[in-house]
Amino acid sequence: MPSYSEVRKSNHFYYFIKFTLNVYSMLFSLMGLCVLCVGVYAEVERQKNRTLEGLFLAPAVVLILLGLVMFTVSVVGMVGSLRDNKTLLHMFLCVLCVLLLLQAITLAMALIFEKKTVALFQSTIREGIKHYYDDLDFKNILDYVQQKFSCCGGDEYKDWGVNQYHFCNGTGPLACGVPYTCCVRRKLGEVINTLCGYNTLNEQRETLQEVIHVRGCIHAVNLWMSDNIGITIALCCAIGLPQLLGIILSCVFWNLLVDMSESADMVDFKLKKSEFEYSELDLAGAGWCLCLPRDGGYLPVPASEPELDPIDIHLEKLKKQPPRTHAQLRELQQSRSASGLDKVDVGRRQKRDH
């Protein structure tokens, strides 16, 4: 079985890593584009209703930022892998490493400073509750969480007292109450009275156990994650492993291109290290990107020069000399006669003629 060093020198390994990374980047760029489009659509709808004052509290803005980052980073990786561009690949690799590192640091800080993290979530949810009826996106998300995890509010059900429609000094039908999504459902599919949470904020927790859910959603979600640790780990892996795969692929391919550039194994790199032009090359098999490697290379091999006779070499030198006058030729003839070179030249000519 061939070793890894031998496999990575083959063209098949190059093609496999190249197109795997290209498909990986293309899929994530399409996903990022879809998320971006959904976020833009949601933001347009949000602006029509003039919803949350806090910009980064809006789910639509979160989707836009997430989609923009995914699409931009993935396009850089896709173009870099397709064109064998070491600079773009290095940029793609560094950005993925930074993003994965930031996520790991954020998770570690959230676990270490759990109380401050909970307090941050509480203040964020309370701010969202203030504008509960102004932002349909946030309203739908919070309603789903309250029904799914059987909870009410952020820290507890009394968080609903910050909403202008629910605080106890109001005069409307929702005053001093909670939304119907906080109510306890006794039967599956039961039609719930939308005013089932009426006048519950003045009551104590013990008297509301059969009416509404008194536990806050932050504690309910934490409890669910603790009880379903396998699903929690799977969700973390589903987020982190694809990024780790992209880091490994881009790192391997970048190192492969570095080795190729040092050994002049590719068309682009060979042209940089030589004075040949594209018109002088037989580029069959280089692909439309003119970057695919080929055994034996693409540069033309110069033909070996034939061995020349010393006399022919001397004649070539004489041709390159400037023309001489009659006086100079007469002096040269006299010097050759005195040295006996004329006889030698005549003998060589006769021998070559025979």
Side-chain angles (χ1 to χ4, degrees), residues 52 57 122-134 138 142 146 152-166 179 217:
L52 290 183
L57 189 63
Q122 288 176 357
S123 62
T124 303
I125 294 177
R126 286 173 68 89
E127 183 66 24
I129 289 176
K130 288 182 181 180
H131 307 277
Y132 175 76
Y133 293 102
D134 300 327
F138 183 82
L142 187 57
Q146 289 184 149
C152 188
D155 185 43
E156 61 173 352
Y157 69 100
K158 290 189 177 182
D159 289 343
W160 284 100
V162 300
N163 186 277
Q164 60 179 338
Y165 298 101
H166 290 279
C217 290

Side-chain angles (χ1 to χ4, degrees), residues 295-308:
D295 295 333
Y298 289 88
L299 294 182
V301 179
S304 58
E305 298 182 355
E307 297 183 0
L308 298 177

Side-chain angles (χ1 to χ4, degrees), residues 192-210:
I192 296 180
N193 180 12
T194 55
L195 295 178
C196 59
Y198 174 74
N199 202 24
T200 54
L201 294 181
N202 282 331
E203 303 292 333
Q204 296 298 320
R205 299 171 64 97
E206 293 78 8
T207 62
L208 298 174
Q209 296 292 335
E210 301 296 328

Side-chain angles (χ1 to χ4, degrees), residues 64-237:
I64 290 175
L65 293 176
L66 178 61
L68 191 61
V69 170
M70 288 179 62
F71 179 74
T72 304
V73 175
S74 299
V75 166
V76 170
M78 182 172 61
V79 175
S81 62
L82 190 63
R83 290 292 301 148
D84 293 346
N85 191 303
K86 292 190 295 181
T87 302
L88 292 179
L89 281 174
H90 193 249
M91 185 186 305
F92 178 68
L93 175 61
C94 291
V95 172
L96 281 183
C97 290
V98 170
L99 290 176
L100 187 61
L101 183 62
L102 288 177
Q103 294 172 43
I105 292 176
T106 303
L107 180 60
M109 296 292 287
L111 294 176
I112 294 173
F113 303 100
E114 183 179 359
K115 292 183 178 179
K116 291 185 178 181
T117 304
V118 171
L120 177 62
F121 276 108
Q122 288 176 357
S123 62
T124 303
I125 294 177
R126 286 173 68 89
E127 183 66 24
I129 289 176
K130 288 182 181 180
H131 307 277
Y132 175 76
Y133 293 102
D134 300 327
D135 192 323
L136 294 179
D137 292 334
F138 183 82
K139 179 179 182 298
N140 292 332
I141 292 174
L142 187 57
D143 285 343
Y144 172 79
V145 172
Q146 289 184 149
Q147 290 178 321
K148 177 68 176 179
F149 296 97
S150 301
C151 57
C152 188
D155 185 43
E156 61 173 352
Y157 69 100
K158 290 189 177 182
D159 289 343
W160 284 100
V162 300
N163 186 277
Q164 60 179 338
Y165 298 101
H166 290 279
F167 62 76
C168 293
N169 293 332
T171 57
L174 300 177
C176 215
V178 295
Y180 73 93
T181 52
C182 290
C183 296
V184 176
R185 291 192 178 187
R186 295 178 177 81
K187 296 180 181 180
L188 186 63
E190 177 186 6
V191 178
I192 296 180
N193 180 12
T194 55
L195 295 178
C196 59
Y198 174 74
N199 202 24
T200 54
L201 294 181
N202 282 331
E203 303 292 333
Q204 296 298 320
R205 299 171 64 97
E206 293 78 8
T207 62
L208 298 174
Q209 296 292 335
E210 301 296 328
V211 182
I212 63 171
H213 302 292
V214 295
R215 180 176 55 186
C217 290
I218 294 177
H219 306 292
V221 172
N222 284 337
L223 183 61
W224 182 88
M225 294 175 65
S226 301
D227 293 339
N228 299 273
I229 189 66
I231 299 178
T232 304
I233 295 176
L235 290 175
C236 293
C237 292

Side-chain angles (χ1 to χ4, degrees), residues 237-269:
C237 292
I239 296 174
L241 287 182
Q243 299 177 65
L244 183 61
L245 176 62
I247 291 174
I248 294 174
L249 288 174
S250 56
C251 183
V252 172
F253 193 56
W254 184 76
N255 287 321
L256 191 63
L257 292 181
V258 170
D259 294 342
M260 285 181 168
S261 63
E262 292 176 351
S263 61
D265 224 358
M266 298 178 65
V267 175
D268 291 337
F269 299 131

